[in-house]
Amino acid sequence: MKSSEIRTAFLEYFKLKGHSIVPGAPLIPRHDPTLLFVNAGMVQFKTFFLGEERSPYLRAVSCQKCMRAGGKHSDLENVGHTARHHTFFEMLGNFSFGDYFKKDAILFAWELLTDWFKLPKERLYVSVYEEDDEAAKLWSELTGLPDERIAKLGPKDNFWQMGDTGPCGPCSEIIIDQGTHIGCGRPDCSVGCECDRFLELWNLVFMQFNRDEKGNLTPLPKPSIDTGMGIERISAILQGKTTNFVTDLFQPIIKNISTLSGVKFGSSQETDVSIRVIADHIRAITFLLSEGVVPSNEGRGYVLRRIIRRASRHARILNMHDPSLYTLVDSVTNSMGDVYPEIVREKERTKKLLNMEEEQFMRIDEIGMNLTAEEISKLKEKSENIFPGEVAFRLYDSRGVHPDSIKDMVIDAGLRFDEEGFQREMELQRQRSRRTQTDSTEGADITLPMLEGQASGHTVETEFLGYDNLKAEAVITAIVKNGHLADELIEGEEGKVILDRTPFYGESGGQIGDTGTIESNGSHIKVLDTKKPVLHLYVHYVKIEKGKIKKGEKVTCIVDGERRRAIMRNHTATHLLHRALSIVLGDHIKQSGSVVSPERLRFDFTHFNAMQDEEINRTEDLVNEKILEDLPVRTDIMKIDEAMKTGAVALFNEKYGETVRVVNVEDFSKELCGGTHCKATGEIGLFVILSEGSVASGIRRIEALTGKYAFEYLKQKKMEIDEIKVVLKTDIPLEKVEKLLNDMKSLEKEIQKLKTGTTRDMISEALQEAREHDGVKIVKIRKDGLNLEELRLFADNIRDRIKSGVIVVSSVIDSQASIVCMVTKDLKGRYHAGEIVTSISIIAGGKGGGKPEMAQGGTRNIEKLDEALESVYDIIKKQVQS
């Protein structure tokens, strides 16, 4: 059974069982600071399990792309060494949101595996949580499994949680016995053994609790079901394979790797590890790059960089010494592009970014990797199997080799990494440098369950009216003061207010929240900000300036119209900018973030190089052309699938419902967007780019102004130019400034000649003070007021004049003395400038050194300088004697 058939069969089976087929979410979690990547099918449903949002369906089924590299659930170091571990994988899952529970979850799983997939019942086992007698009984009664094939295991194996915090509960694993020819071969081998004989196929999580930061478990609003089965494992079983890497999911990629490297899969254990690493990692790399993640030194970008570099290192083991991983992207898109069309759309950009990262790795990090390899070789020669933490720290601290790269190489070499020793050295360094790190995450302190508790179980949601209205009547449904529910706010107090309907836009999608006023019965409330922590919930941050407000009270809401219109101009301009950049720079451009405020807009995008002035000007001109054309801006509501078919641009870090708003600037731009926009581009008025720069590796940022802010900016610039004209007494200031700069350079050169002795009088003065020792001229002179560069030039000029000799010159400037010594080429064998300067500097209470022919030093003890300079003759005599 092909993997594509397995994926389809799973979705269709659960569709027949009343489940809605829900498209998988992007790999980048939306508004979840606890996760680097989506690592399970339930992540996109987390807010449903917690009761923070209402699910539009009671039953769901999905095929979710997942990443387990970095964070709590990371399989990176195991990949390549086992038959099953992966960084990127697909998880098939069915979910119940307070509908069915353990009984139906068990029945569905058993029927699919035994009736649809035809797995032999006699080879199937299950494990349950040791305290979950209910599940054990259900398995026995519903499937006929004997007690000896139902294993009770502890929380390590059978209590599931997606992270340190969040939804969790007891789970039940469905396991298949692959036979005695697989695994450890021990007669006592059974469920729970670390070998591959008893293979975990499908995990059924009975979601009952939420774990908070302190580890406390609280019951979820409604018990739910979350299941997960890796398509890679079930494909291997149904295709009769003992390793995932020989299934149809990986074989096309592995064949390409063998063709590129000339190394056949199966030829040796060492090369097989490398081939498996590359085959796995190239899938992860392709999907992460296609979603806009770029290699960097922190967060998700760092995980991606580590995966790329690990794959690149294994490519070198296969004698692929030139950048080559990027050529494997085609094999991933060819095999998976039908299911995930985004990797096909982003293919060329993905290949370009990957090639750049490979080249950088080979150029910069090869020395560090070679040093690590040398240390590993030394240990193996001594038959030692632990890589010392002190050595790892030294490589990290002095050579910049990242500890994760060291760990990867150590594990691949079959050694154990001394994590404790490394961390001990890191702690000592932290104590020495007295650095502290803090990590804070801002999260919403308002949830639907909290509000519904106040509303006696009634729905607490906010209807947004702000697309068409800036003023509306509403009812206060909840009040929060100092983090707790309250019945009222009085004059002078601040708090948070939830309304049944609102014209205030809640911050989301890069657009900041609205401000304005709320009025009621002589009360005046200032709206300081508006947030949207979850879908359909708008939180108004308010200050009571007059009177008071109570829960249940009717109020009038008035948005600050001028501020909102400024935001709308910037938001619509952001869409124009996004499209203009893709025209000017290429289709690889992808939005990485944005901020839309009334004063300005900020747009982050993926691009490889700094924009040239010409490119910035073309982009700015193109946006202004579209503003002058006064193109209509139309907003359509349509289903997500229909919107994507029209070519609308979607952002990977945004979560979209079944229906979406498509903002369409006629014949130019089309994006999915929930923000507020102008009715026509002409309302923007004017667009000015303030700056373009780098914010991270592969990420550029543009800041720009629109409307009156752009006009004020240009007006200010014109006033500055007018003032410059007055000061320079010219109507052509650029020409005058260029002439003044040229004159300044000429004068600076003349001053330098005078200061550094280019004139014959100053050179003659230096030569007159020269002494001789053993037929060698020694020139010693102090000339204050010269910086180090001028002092070196002064010494150069003296050396050129005397032809043969030793020159020592010094100067004091800004309470710092500099010393320069030069030895002419014919005397390098007899005298060493570095040793001379070192000796002089020590006497002067400073330090110095350098090469035989030229050296420099310095001191802040000015009072010792003349004495030190006078010692030069004795120092030179000692050099000759030695």
Side-chain angles (χ1 to χ4, degrees):
M1 197 172 186
K2 294 180 180 178
S3 57
S4 58
E5 295 170 339
I6 295 169
R7 189 186 293 110
T8 300
F10 187 92
L11 297 174
E12 288 301 318
Y13 170 82
F14 281 101
K15 184 179 180 182
L16 290 174
K17 300 296 182 181
H19 292 63
S20 299
I21 297 178
V22 180
L27 283 170
I28 311 305
R30 178 179 178 265
H31 304 321
D32 191 340
T34 67
L35 289 176
L36 279 175
F37 304 107
V38 167
N39 58 12
M42 62 78 62
V43 172
Q44 70 166 315
F45 305 119
K46 183 176 177 180
T47 55
F48 300 161
F49 285 122
L50 288 173
E52 293 174 352
E53 290 187 78
R54 274 181 193 75
S55 170
Y57 25 72
L58 291 174
R59 302 180 176 194
V61 61
S62 71
C63 178
Q64 175 64 52
K65 49 189 178 180
C66 299
M67 273 286 297
R68 289 190 179 171
K72 179 180 175 65
H73 296 285
S74 178
D75 291 332
L76 181 60
E77 292 171 357
N78 293 319
V79 172
H81 298 282
T82 73
R84 311 290 174 194
H85 284 98
H86 301 292
T87 51
F88 172 89
F89 62 98
E90 297 176 86
M91 184 173 282
L92 301 167
N94 58 289
F95 308 90
S96 164
F97 308 108
D99 185 21
Y100 63 85
F101 199 43
K102 294 179 183 179
K103 178 182 177 181
D104 285 331
I106 289 170
L107 283 172
F108 292 153
W110 190 256
E111 182 180 39
L112 179 63
L113 291 180
T114 58
D115 291 354
W116 282 51
F117 290 163
K118 305 298 182 185
L119 291 182
K121 297 178 181 179
E122 64 274 10
R123 288 172 55 196
L124 295 178
Y125 292 67
V126 298
S127 65
V128 298
Y129 182 45
E130 58 191 0
E131 298 177 10
D132 193 355
D133 295 331
E134 179 190 8
K137 183 179 180 182
L138 285 169
W139 275 113
S140 177
E141 292 177 351
L142 298 175
T143 68
L145 278 173
D147 290 345
E148 61 267 20
R149 301 222 314 263
I150 302 174
K152 291 188 174 183
L153 302 177
K156 180 177 179 292
D157 296 293
N158 280 80
F159 195 94
W160 193 93
Q161 57 191 65
M162 63 179 291
D164 293 329
T165 62
C168 57
C171 63
S172 186
E173 296 262 17
I174 302 176
I175 298 157
I176 189 165
D177 181 1
Q178 297 194 86
T180 55
H181 62 291
I182 300 293
C184 62
R186 296 198 311 268
D188 61 343
C189 181
S190 61
V191 172
C193 182
E194 294 296 324
C195 75
D196 269 356
R197 175 181 170 181
F198 292 94
L199 184 68
E200 299 162 351
L201 271 185
W202 197 347
N203 192 13
L204 313 182
V205 179
F206 308 129
M207 199 72 67
Q208 295 175 254
F209 307 107
N210 180 53
R211 188 187 298 275
D212 64 20
E213 292 82 357
K214 296 180 180 179
N216 300 319
L217 296 177
T218 54
L220 290 171
K222 295 178 181 178
S224 299
I225 290 295
D226 154 35
T227 83
M229 175 165 59
I231 196 171
E232 291 79 9
R233 289 194 179 192
I234 188 63
S235 294
I237 294 300
L238 293 179
Q239 292 173 21
K241 310 297 183 183
T242 58
T243 165
N244 298 353
F245 289 96
V246 293
T247 65
D248 62 346
L249 288 163
F250 287 94
Q251 276 303 291
I253 302 171
I254 286 175
K255 286 178 182 177
N256 273 12
I257 296 169
S258 294
T259 300
L260 275 173
S261 64
V263 179
K264 186 178 179 182
F265 187 53
S267 58
S268 80
Q269 174 61 23
E270 182 184 10
T271 57
D272 279 1
V273 168
S274 294
I275 290 172
R276 286 194 292 264
V277 167
I278 297 169
D280 171 90
H281 286 11
I282 193 61
R283 299 204 315 165
I285 292 164
T286 300
F287 276 88
L288 287 176
L289 286 171
S290 74
E291 291 202 8
V293 181
V294 294
S296 68
N297 291 325
E298 59 184 14
R300 298 182 180 101
Y302 170 66
V303 175
L304 172 58
R305 172 162 284 169
R306 186 181 172 196
I307 292 171
I308 292 172
R309 294 186 174 186
R310 187 167 188 254
S312 184
R313 184 167 54 77
H314 279 278
R316 275 187 263 177
I317 293 173
L318 300 178
N319 295 316
M320 297 159 65
H321 292 287
D322 294 325
S324 51
L325 296 178
Y326 74 97
T327 63
L328 297 172
V329 172
D330 288 328
S331 61
V332 180
T333 57
N334 290 341
S335 60
M336 305 186 76
D338 289 343
V339 184
Y340 302 103
E342 66 269 18
I343 64 174
V344 178
R345 290 195 301 268
E346 301 295 329
K347 182 174 72 172
E348 293 308 315
R349 174 183 165 277
T350 296
K351 291 167 73 172
K352 188 170 182 178
L353 274 172
L354 180 52
N355 186 32
M356 288 175 62
E357 183 67 13
E358 283 189 87
E359 288 177 344
Q360 180 179 331
F361 176 54
M362 291 182 173
R363 185 174 63 252
I364 296 174
D365 290 344
E366 191 157 0
I367 294 174
M369 307 304 275
N370 289 340
L371 289 170
T372 306
E374 288 175 11
E375 296 291 345
I376 290 172
S377 296
K378 290 177 187 176
L379 292 171
K380 286 190 169 182
E381 287 173 6
K382 299 176 185 176
S383 298
E384 296 180 6
N385 63 356
I386 298 177
F387 193 95
E390 295 85 351
V391 176
F393 176 78
R394 189 181 73 243
L395 289 169
Y396 165 65
D397 192 48
S398 63
R399 296 290 187 169
V401 188
H402 200 283
D404 285 335
S405 297
I406 299 171
K407 288 179 195 176
D408 287 340
M409 293 185 68
V410 168
I411 291 169
D412 288 340
L415 305 181
R416 187 166 67 83
F417 183 80
D418 178 17
E419 182 70 38
E420 184 179 338
F422 177 77
Q423 292 301 333
R424 185 170 57 249
E425 292 294 324
M426 287 292 289
E427 180 58 31
L428 288 172
Q429 185 200 49
R430 281 190 284 269
Q431 291 175 8
R432 286 192 297 268
S433 60
R434 297 180 182 178
R435 286 199 299 259
T436 60
Q437 271 191 327
T438 58
D439 189 302
S440 60
T441 305
E442 182 182 354
D445 60 351
I446 297 178
T447 63
L448 283 176
M450 169 185 176
L451 298 177
E452 288 171 356
Q454 189 191 43
S456 303
H458 292 97
T459 298
V460 179
E461 292 185 352
T462 308
E463 179 187 1
F464 180 60
L465 308 172
Y467 290 124
D468 303 308
N469 301 286
L470 296 182
K471 184 177 180 180
E473 305 297 319
V475 175
I476 298 174
T477 57
I479 295 173
V480 177
K481 181 170 70 174
N482 298 325
H484 300 285
L485 294 168
D487 290 325
E488 67 177 12
L489 289 173
I490 63 175
E491 190 169 318
E493 289 186 332
E494 293 188 13
K496 301 167 188 177
V497 171
I498 289 82
L499 308 171
D500 66 335
R501 55 210 303 261
T502 183
F504 292 95
Y505 182 86
E507 180 178 337
S508 59
Q511 180 175 327
I512 69 172
D514 280 335
T515 62
T517 58
I518 295 175
E519 297 177 353
S520 170
N521 297 328
S523 299
H524 183 81
I525 300 95
K526 187 174 183 179
V527 178
L528 306 172
D529 196 2
T530 311
K531 305 279 189 184
K532 189 168 72 169
V534 296
L535 196 64
H536 306 310
L537 179 64
Y538 289 71
V539 180
H540 306 78
Y541 291 66
V542 301
K543 180 176 182 179
I544 313 301
E545 295 193 328
K546 180 183 177 183
K548 63 181 180 179
I549 53 171
K550 291 184 176 182
K551 177 191 161 191
E553 189 174 354
K554 291 183 179 181
V555 294
T556 301
C557 306
I558 306 167
V559 175
D560 183 335
E562 183 177 351
R563 182 176 180 274
R564 163 72 85 78
R565 284 185 285 273
I567 292 172
M568 291 163 63
R569 284 192 285 268
N570 280 331
H571 204 154
T572 303
T574 300
H575 284 218
L576 298 181
L577 173 61
H578 190 179
R579 178 59 182 145
L581 286 168
S582 67
I583 293 171
V584 173
L585 300 178
D587 289 334
H588 64 277
I589 292 301
K590 183 179 290 294
Q591 181 173 339
S592 292
S594 67
V595 174
V596 179
S597 70
E599 295 82 15
R600 64 176 60 199
L601 66 89
R602 191 180 80 198
F603 186 78
D604 295 347
F605 59 99
T606 56
H607 188 50
F608 320 111
N609 306 303
M611 290 179 68
Q612 301 300 309
D613 289 343
E614 180 187 355
E615 292 171 331
I616 294 173
N617 291 335
R618 283 175 58 200
T619 301
E620 190 176 71
D621 289 346
L622 185 52
V623 173
N624 280 310
E625 283 176 16
K626 298 306 169 184
I627 291 172
L628 287 172
E629 290 175 20
D630 197 23
L631 300 173
V633 179
R634 191 180 73 250
T635 301
D636 299 311
I637 310 296
M638 59 179 70
K639 290 191 175 296
I640 181 74
D641 292 339
E642 295 175 10
M644 298 306 293
K645 288 176 183 177
T646 68
V649 175
L651 304 182
F652 277 108
N653 63 345
E654 287 298 320
K655 182 178 180 181
Y656 300 104
E658 290 188 11
T659 59
V660 293
R661 290 173 59 84
V662 180
V663 177
N664 187 353
V665 179
E666 189 177 87
D667 299 326
F668 188 69
S669 167
K670 186 182 291 186
E671 293 189 28
L672 306 189
C673 181
T676 60
H677 287 271
C678 302
K679 299 298 183 186
T681 58
E683 294 177 18
I684 299 170
L686 180 63
F687 175 82
V688 176
I689 292 178
L690 289 179
S691 63
E692 188 275 344
S694 173
V695 290
S697 176
I699 303 289
R700 310 296 299 177
R701 172 174 292 172
I702 281 179
E703 296 201 26
L705 304 174
T706 65
K708 72 172 186 178
Y709 291 98
F711 175 75
E712 290 295 333
Y713 173 79
L714 294 180
K715 184 178 178 182
Q716 178 64 33
K717 291 299 176 185
K718 182 179 182 302
M719 288 173 60
E720 291 173 5
I721 292 174
D722 288 342
E723 290 175 9
I724 291 170
K725 287 179 180 180
V726 173
V727 171
L728 296 179
K729 299 178 180 179
T730 178
D731 289 331
I732 312 174
L734 182 59
E735 289 183 6
K736 188 67 175 285
V737 169
E738 287 176 345
K739 182 179 184 303
L740 288 171
L741 289 174
N742 289 331
D743 291 345
M744 284 176 61
K745 288 179 182 177
S746 298
L747 291 171
E748 285 170 356
K749 288 179 181 178
E750 290 299 320
I751 291 169
Q752 191 176 62
K753 286 180 182 179
L754 292 170
K755 289 174 70 177
T756 58
T758 308
T759 61
R760 287 192 168 271
D761 288 345
M762 294 193 68
I763 297 295
S764 299
E765 179 187 337
L767 293 178
Q768 285 174 6
E769 296 188 17
R771 296 187 190 179
E772 281 197 14
H773 172 74
D774 200 17
V776 175
K777 283 184 180 179
I778 302 171
V779 179
K780 172 191 70 73
I781 187 169
R782 171 176 168 177
K783 183 173 177 56
D784 293 345
L786 303 182
N787 60 37
L788 187 57
E789 183 181 353
E790 293 167 342
L791 192 61
R792 282 197 297 262
L793 183 57
F794 184 35
D796 277 336
N797 291 332
I798 296 173
R799 182 184 57 189
D800 293 343
R801 287 285 300 276
I802 67 173
K803 306 299 182 185
S804 177
V806 178
I807 303 100
V808 177
V809 295
S810 68
S811 179
V812 176
I813 185 171
D814 297 330
S815 300
Q816 171 71 47
S818 298
I819 305 166
V820 172
C821 176
M822 290 187 180
V823 175
T824 55
K825 289 183 179 180
D826 60 312
L827 299 175
K828 279 199 303 182
R830 296 174 62 186
Y831 304 102
H832 192 290
E835 294 175 3
I836 294 170
V837 161
T838 299
S839 299
I840 295 171
S841 299
I842 290 173
I843 294 170
K847 58 183 179 179
K851 297 179 180 179
E853 66 274 17
M854 199 282 281
Q856 61 191 47
T859 180
R860 289 191 176 276
N861 295 327
I862 310 302
E863 65 278 3
K864 293 184 178 181
L865 180 61
D866 289 334
E867 177 189 349
L869 291 173
E870 196 60 34
S871 68
V872 67
Y873 305 110
D874 291 335
I875 293 168
I876 290 174
K877 286 178 185 178
K878 289 177 182 177
Q879 274 205 9
V880 174
Q881 291 169 0
S882 61

